[in-house]
Amino acid sequence: GQFVPYAGELKTLTASGYSFPTGIRLKEKKNTKGSDADRFNPAEFPGFVPGKMVEEIGNKFCRIDPILDADYDAFMAKNRGQPTTLKSTEIFTKFAILNSI
């Protein structure tokens, strides 16, 4: 993904149900930008499944798809069984970006 958390964000997001692999790289401070090398690379964490425990739908672990789950609304719509609002061109663009990293 594109997101590189700092320690405080990691703690807050973990407490709200998001899963992160052990040993994830962090940026130093809130206002600094994470480098490309700091970004999550699935090859470094084989078997890790990104996701979030979602209280609204029975405290269920819901997998986060880095292509289809462009934002929280798309993630929640998918997990409620509702159609996503992402257009096919947006999906293609996200797929192309992820494959270029």
Side-chain angles (χ1 to χ4, degrees):
Q2 301 297 313
F3 177 68
V4 180
Y6 66 95
E9 282 176 313
L10 181 64
K11 183 177 179 180
T12 300
L13 290 168
T14 302
S16 68
Y18 287 93
S19 64
F20 292 91
T22 302
I24 191 169
R25 286 182 292 278
L26 304 171
K27 58 185 178 182
E28 282 187 45
K29 299 177 185 175
K30 180 178 183 176
N31 297 327
T32 59
K33 182 179 179 182
S35 71
D36 289 342
D38 291 334
R39 292 189 175 133
F40 175 75
N41 181 348
E44 295 177 13
F45 301 97
F48 173 73
V49 177
K52 180 180 188 328
M53 295 298 289
V54 181
E55 207 173 294
E56 297 171 41
I57 52 176
N59 210 25
K60 174 184 162 191
F61 181 80
C62 298
R63 182 183 173 153
I64 296 174
D65 184 313
I67 296 170
L68 297 177
D69 299 333
D71 58 33
Y72 191 72
D73 291 334
F75 168 76
M76 287 304 295
K78 177 190 75 177
N79 287 294
R80 287 186 184 122
Q82 300 167 341
T84 182
T85 57
L86 262 178
K87 298 176 186 153
S88 60
T89 54
E90 291 174 287
I91 293 170
F92 177 78
T93 302
K94 289 180 181 305
F95 181 74
I97 290 168
L98 287 170
N99 283 317
S100 70
I101 295 175

